[in-house]
Amino acid sequence: MHSQSLQSTLLWSVATLLFIGVPILLWLVPPPLFSSAMVSIQRGDSISLAAEKLTDAGVVYTPEIIILPFLASGGEVVAGTYAFNQSVNAATVFERISSGSFGVPQGRVVIPEGFTNEQIADRLDKALDSETFSRDDFLTEAYPHQGYLYPDTYNFYTDASSEEVISIMRDNFTDKIASVQGEIASFEHSLADVVKMASLVELEASDYEVRRRIAGILWNRINADMPLQVDAAFVPLIGKNTYELTMADLKIESPYNLYTNTGLPPRPIANPGIESIRATVNPIESDDLYYLSDRNGNFYFAETLPKHAENRVYLDVGRD
């Protein structure tokens, strides 16, 4: 009887030691076979996803060894690309990803919503190493991706190539679009058309509800086979806004001239954010076909051309 009690005590002690000791070992002892890895944690990644990426790269033993300290501390993962050039313990990994210690020089680049590829290229050209990043190469490679380079705050390697930058921004677009995938799937237009329209809506207004109303008007015009007549399309085309355009400008021969062509532009005119995309697939339904804005950002809507003409006279939006 005494022997059985002693055996139970020993088993309990071993179990307790394993229960406490194994996590401590996983926390303090680096993975023995690890060599090096680069791990990219995107803005918006959950702690669980970040921990899985670190585990898949062999940086830590299990996701839980990173997840649990974050849950206990209430901290957050700092997005960016981390270089692990040697084996370190989980305690060090936790400290680095919670403080943003990337281990490699990175260029912080803020890409505002509605930026064109050219504007993005200018930002990147200032932040990244000129020996590895070429503005011209970026524009060539990014041309088919305009509209899908998600506007956000990024931490790129300073020696990142155009291809790497585009890949990261495209992946970010895919991640963000997932939140409205259901709305897009049930909408009557394709993702390609939605992004084209969202790029117009992005540049036309900043308020979400106004964007929804403008989207409704522009879809009405598409359905009526009317030119969209969106002045914002001239900003990337010739660098002029509504109050600078002349009658001659409105006759420029270009597939992006939405006064002389019907339908959507051949490709997005800029890179929209998620709110413009959401507004585009959730338009406010009305009979309006026209709208104008004043210099203070106030909008005026109309169902008929005569009423639109009245608004134009009232706002003194003329063309030379």
Side-chain angles (χ1 to χ4, degrees):
M1 189 73 176
H2 179 71
S3 175
Q4 288 180 340
S5 177
L6 180 60
Q7 185 178 20
S8 296
T9 300
L10 287 172
L11 288 173
W12 178 257
S13 298
V14 170
T16 302
L17 182 62
L18 289 173
F19 182 77
I20 297 174
V22 170
I24 292 175
L25 286 173
L26 295 179
W27 179 251
L28 297 177
V29 178
L33 302 179
F34 177 80
S35 57
S36 65
M38 307 295 293
V39 179
S40 180
I41 298 175
Q42 302 292 326
R43 185 178 180 185
D45 279 0
S46 65
I47 293 170
S48 297
L49 180 56
E52 288 175 7
K53 288 181 177 180
L54 291 165
T55 304
D56 291 342
V59 178
V60 294
Y61 292 101
T62 69
E64 290 75 19
I65 204 66
I66 290 297
I67 294 171
L68 293 175
F70 272 107
L71 293 178
S73 67
E76 295 183 354
V77 178
V78 178
T81 301
Y82 292 83
F84 296 94
N85 298 319
Q86 61 183 8
S87 184
V88 294
N89 61 29
T92 301
V93 175
F94 171 76
E95 189 280 328
R96 285 187 57 185
I97 66 174
S98 60
S99 64
S101 178
F102 302 113
V104 289
Q106 301 204 8
R108 183 177 176 85
V109 185
V110 179
I111 307 299
E113 296 172 344
F115 256 34
T116 63
N117 285 3
E118 287 76 12
Q119 290 172 308
I120 293 174
D122 290 339
R123 287 283 174 98
L124 294 171
D125 200 33
K126 293 178 181 178
L128 304 183
D129 191 334
S130 60
E131 292 185 4
T132 55
F133 178 82
S134 164
R135 183 183 186 279
D136 291 340
D137 288 347
F138 173 82
L139 289 175
T140 299
E141 295 175 28
Y143 181 84
H145 301 289
Q146 179 151 290
Y148 302 87
L149 301 180
Y150 194 77
D152 208 337
T153 299
Y154 293 93
N155 289 302
F156 295 119
Y157 297 129
T158 53
D159 63 348
S161 66
S162 297
E163 183 179 345
E164 290 170 334
V165 169
I166 292 168
S167 177
I168 290 171
M169 297 184 75
R170 280 297 314 244
D171 287 347
N172 196 15
F173 175 88
T174 300
D175 290 343
K176 294 298 190 296
I177 205 72
S179 66
V180 293
Q181 199 63 58
E183 295 163 84
I184 294 172
S186 62
F187 197 55
E188 59 183 319
H189 296 276
S190 67
L191 173 62
D193 283 353
V194 166
V195 174
K196 290 176 185 178
M197 182 66 84
S199 72
L200 300 173
V201 171
E202 179 74 63
L203 296 184
E204 284 289 87
S206 58
D207 179 79
Y208 177 69
E209 292 302 318
V210 173
R211 285 172 173 172
R212 291 183 63 209
R213 190 162 182 182
I214 289 174
I217 291 173
L218 296 180
W219 287 127
N220 284 347
R221 294 180 75 93
I222 289 286
N223 294 333
D225 199 30
M226 298 172 64
L228 294 180
Q229 296 184 329
V230 176
D231 290 353
F234 288 94
V235 176
L237 184 61
I238 58 174
K240 290 186 177 182
N241 62 36
T242 295
Y243 294 97
E244 298 170 325
L245 291 171
T246 66
M247 291 302 295
D249 293 329
L250 302 185
K251 298 176 183 178
I252 290 174
E253 290 189 15
S254 169
Y256 295 92
N257 185 339
L258 301 183
Y259 277 77
T260 58
N261 297 282
T262 57
L264 291 161
R267 67 185 184 118
I269 65 169
N271 293 281
I274 196 65
E275 288 304 298
S276 290
I277 295 173
R278 180 174 282 111
T280 297
V281 296
N282 290 282
I284 293 177
E285 296 184 5
S286 73
D287 293 325
D288 292 334
L289 290 170
Y290 305 90
Y291 66 92
L292 283 173
S293 66
D294 62 23
R295 295 179 187 273
N296 295 318
N298 300 306
F299 282 80
Y300 303 82
F301 304 93
E303 294 182 14
T304 65
L305 186 57
K307 177 58 179 176
H308 181 60
E310 288 181 20
N311 290 339
R312 185 178 291 279
V313 171
Y314 172 73
L315 294 176
D316 190 28
V317 182
R319 314 286 193 196
D320 295 331

